[in-house]
Amino acid sequence: MRMVLRAMSSRWRAAVAVIALPVALAGGLFLLDRLYPPDLTRMESLSRQVVDREGRRLRAYLSADGYRRLASTPAEVDPLYLEMLIAFEDRRFHAHWGVDPLALLRAGWQALTAGRVVSGASTLTMQAARLLEPRPRTLTSKIIEMARALQLEWHYPKPKILEIYMTLAPFGGNLEGVTAAAWRYFGRSPGRLTADQAALLVALPQSPERLRPDRFPGAARAARDKVLDRVSDAGVLTRRDLAQAKAEPMAIVVTQVPAAPHLADRLLAKRPDARVVRSTLDGTLQRRWEVVARDWARGLGPRVGIAVLAVENGSRRAVAYIGSADFGAAARAGQVDVVRALRSPGSVLKPVIYGLAFQRGIAHPATQVDDVPTRFGAYAPANFMRRHYGRVSLSEALRLSLNVPAVALLDRLGPVAVVERLRRAGVTLDFGEETAVPGLAFALGGVGITLEDIVSLYAALAEDGHVRPIRFLAQPEGGKASSLDGLAGAGERPLFGETARWYVGEILRGARPPESLLPDLHRRQARPLAFKTGTSYGFRDAWAVGYDGDYTVGVWVGRPDGTPNPGRFGANTAAPLLFRLFDDLPPKARRHPVRPDHALAFDAPLPPGLRYLGEGFGPASVATAAPPPRIVYPLDETTLALPPEGRAVMLEAEGGRRPLTWIVNGQPLARVAARRRLGWMPDGVGFNEIVLVDALGRRAETRVRLIPQ
């Protein structure tokens, strides 16, 4: 009996041992898994990138560990690439658990019979483990990789393992990941690859430095063809497809130069936590214009730079942003973003002054003015070519960019009032010192302003009169706007009313194109362009800004260091480039602007107070017998309830020499002399500017806000 019990006890201990051993092993593996979980740090350390509005890459930055590494998922790559990768690297990828026993037996038998290593046994999962934790190629490292491969399979599904491999696979230099390689070598995303391109991307990680197609095209082609042969044997390609793929040349497009580098830096600084920032730019247009700007600058000298900003008028979205003609050119100060640099605008702000004068009823395009040597206190402006034209209309004065009429208008408006109005609209102006008082030189470029603000002003003239920040970030669906999005900050009251915008647009559309474009004038008239040029003092800045119904484009040409560029001015340097760029923009078939109902035609008889810009009807008139006009009702900065439909707001004045002219938001209320009391029928709520002009040209004005009843 004792012997029976002893035998049973022995068998029990053996059974316990048999059970305990795998349990202990499993427990140990579980503990090791907990202590040493898979480390995905390398995979998560990705390059940040800025893309265009379609998701096409503009610029990618180095990852924290110094690689150009972009995420790649199975859903984002061409299915043909995945088929080739698995057929070439790991045919039983979807069947094994990280380690392929059949591959191990095959590799061992081949090494035993041949006396050397003939083929490896690494699965894609083992390669993913090695890429996550690079180690020297030793037997110990191989065992660790096998353990890690089993661990990865335990934790993650097959698509995630493919993602790890495709994100970390090396492709030469500091290039990692299928996405980065496709953009670098083919200039396209990995979502659409030809058979020869897919095969090359499968082959390169085998020996990325020896097979780099930009350095060793022969070796790269041989490796590509080897992949094509093997995947064809596996049934991935037909014989016809194989022959066609092998016949393709090694057409490598090495795209190292980033697009829109200045804007990319700017957007990433605003979104420091974003891995991918989507801009509003049109990537195709951006790259094409960068080539045009670079070639144009080369023809102007080694130190000349170019900046360009183009926006869609309706949305204020930027479609192209060139901070400099050549980002890498030190002589051109290529890393300076001139789109945001403070520069002297020359005459580019004259249309803004004219627009504000039309808005406030101070003048009309047909108003006459004397372009003669004139002193405004101690200030005596002169024209660009030191020539004066005598009596001209304001339309002619703006088209010819005459200086005395512009200064005369600014004198009437008041430079401080204009600068404050622009500041309230969101336009930043720099006069050198915070305590500096704006003067009349502001009309001729005596101020610092950015190309970005200039384009925003012209876009307001082109569209709805509101000055809005330009949008550079593509707004995510359901997302909130920020100041950089350009959706915030628009004032309730437009800077330019409909009539003022039409007046300015008609004048600028009639401007004479650059001489070099006159032979092609007939074709260009099919797409009328309102544009203005400008040149700052000493030929330091050459400007051209233009708009049509769809786009506004601003061009700056000059030396970023601020030194003179003699002989280069807006009309002969920047304007031809402006027209060249507009040729690239697709017209959207918007109709020509129609004259607003209350706007006076350019050839219509003017009310007496608008016939001449001066005291009375000409320089010799000094009649001042009557007291100046004054608006009695409504008072300045008054808020009134909008009257019921069909009811008028009564305007009342005193003083002034008859006939009087009432002007609301730049539109005369009557084509004949008005009385001191007149009914005004407002067209809705909002801000309104009311001006009263007497026969001597003297003015009174008030601003009124109408709110709902």
Side-chain angles (χ1 to χ4, degrees), residues 43 71-74 158-168:
M43 181 191 168
S72 302
T73 65
K158 294 288 185 179
K160 181 67 175 180
I161 294 169
L162 283 174
E163 180 183 345
I164 295 172
Y165 174 84
M166 291 189 299
T167 299
L168 297 177

Side-chain angles (χ1 to χ4, degrees), residues 66-80:
Y67 287 89
R68 204 167 298 279
R69 180 188 299 133
L70 302 178
S72 302
T73 65
E76 296 170 343
V77 302
D78 196 303
L80 179 60

Side-chain angles (χ1 to χ4, degrees), residues 362-363 367-370 408-409 412 608-621 693-699:
I362 288 175
T367 298
Q368 298 292 300
V369 63
D370 286 324
L409 281 177
R412 284 299 189 90
L610 292 178
R611 293 173 188 167
Y612 182 81
L613 187 68
E615 293 297 328
F617 298 102
S621 177
V693 185
D694 76 350
L696 302 180
R698 296 175 296 179
R699 288 163 171 75

Side-chain angles (χ1 to χ4, degrees), residues 639-662:
T639 299
L640 302 176
L642 182 69
E645 186 175 357
R647 299 286 298 276
V649 174
M650 295 305 300
L651 308 179
E652 185 173 352
E654 63 181 26
R657 171 169 292 189
R658 296 191 185 188
L660 304 175
T661 302
W662 289 94

Side-chain angles (χ1 to χ4, degrees), residues 433-457:
E433 300 178 4
E434 291 187 8
T435 57
V437 177
L440 296 177
F442 163 69
L444 311 184
V447 65
I449 189 172
T450 66
L451 175 58
E452 184 174 331
D453 277 334
I454 289 173
V455 170
S456 69
L457 282 168

Side-chain angles (χ1 to χ4, degrees), residues 232-368:
S232 177
D233 292 340
V236 176
L237 294 177
T238 66
R239 289 297 171 185
R240 180 179 178 182
D241 292 338
L242 172 65
Q244 183 176 349
K246 293 178 74 172
E248 291 293 332
M250 291 296 294
I252 301 301
V253 181
V254 181
T255 54
Q256 295 178 331
V257 179
H262 299 93
L263 181 61
D265 289 347
R266 180 177 176 182
L267 295 184
L268 282 188
K270 287 291 183 179
R271 297 287 178 88
D273 298 327
R275 181 174 292 169
V276 178
V277 178
R278 186 183 293 264
S279 73
T280 60
L281 300 189
D282 179 335
T284 302
L285 183 72
Q286 174 73 26
R287 291 188 181 277
R288 189 163 63 240
W289 278 16
E290 286 182 359
V291 173
V292 172
R294 189 161 53 249
D295 292 343
W296 207 276
R298 286 171 181 163
L300 298 175
R303 298 172 57 194
V304 176
I306 290 175
V308 177
L309 180 61
V311 303
E312 294 175 342
N313 295 333
S315 65
R316 300 299 203 276
R317 294 186 305 181
V319 295
Y321 185 115
I322 300 174
S324 69
D326 191 341
F327 187 67
R332 302 185 196 278
Q335 297 196 12
V336 175
D337 183 0
V338 185
V339 170
R340 305 175 70 191
L342 288 170
R343 309 292 301 197
S344 168
S347 299
V348 170
L349 291 182
K350 286 178 181 176
V352 175
I353 295 171
Y354 277 69
L356 291 175
F358 298 151
Q359 172 78 6
R360 288 176 55 183
I362 288 175
H364 177 272
T367 298
Q368 298 292 300

